[in-house]
Amino acid sequence: MLKIAFQMDPITGVNVNADSTFDIALECFSRGHEIWVSEPKDLVLEGRRVRASAQRVARLQRVQGEHVEL
């Protein structure tokens, strides 16, 4: 199992039938990988390091409005 982080628009508001990052995350999740999501606003530069706060995805499915549980 891999731990994979995606930087994307807020996942709670994406169109599950049109967002390519959601498609990739969903495929990774369906294969049993641990998925984390963050938004551009969550990125910070600390010295020479880039850091991001992220939320772990507990559930992901292609059902608009019920597609994600963080």
Side-chain angles (χ1 to χ4, degrees), residues 23 34 43-44 48 57 62 68-69:
D23 288 339
E34 187 175 302
L43 287 173
V44 294
R48 295 176 56 175
V57 173
R62 193 179 303 280
V68 66
E69 180 182 328

Side-chain angles (χ1 to χ4, degrees), residues 33-58:
H33 300 299
E34 187 175 302
I35 304 302
W36 293 76
V37 293
S38 69
E39 300 174 34
K41 69 176 181 64
D42 299 322
L43 287 173
V44 294
L45 180 61
E46 295 176 348
R48 295 176 56 175
R49 292 184 172 257
V50 176
R51 299 198 186 268
S53 58
Q55 293 181 290
R56 185 174 179 185
V57 173

Side-chain angles (χ1 to χ4, degrees), residues 7-23:
Q7 181 186 353
M8 61 188 299
D9 293 332
I11 194 167
T12 54
V14 300
N15 179 338
V16 300
N17 297 307
D19 190 283
S20 59
T21 306
F22 179 84
D23 288 339

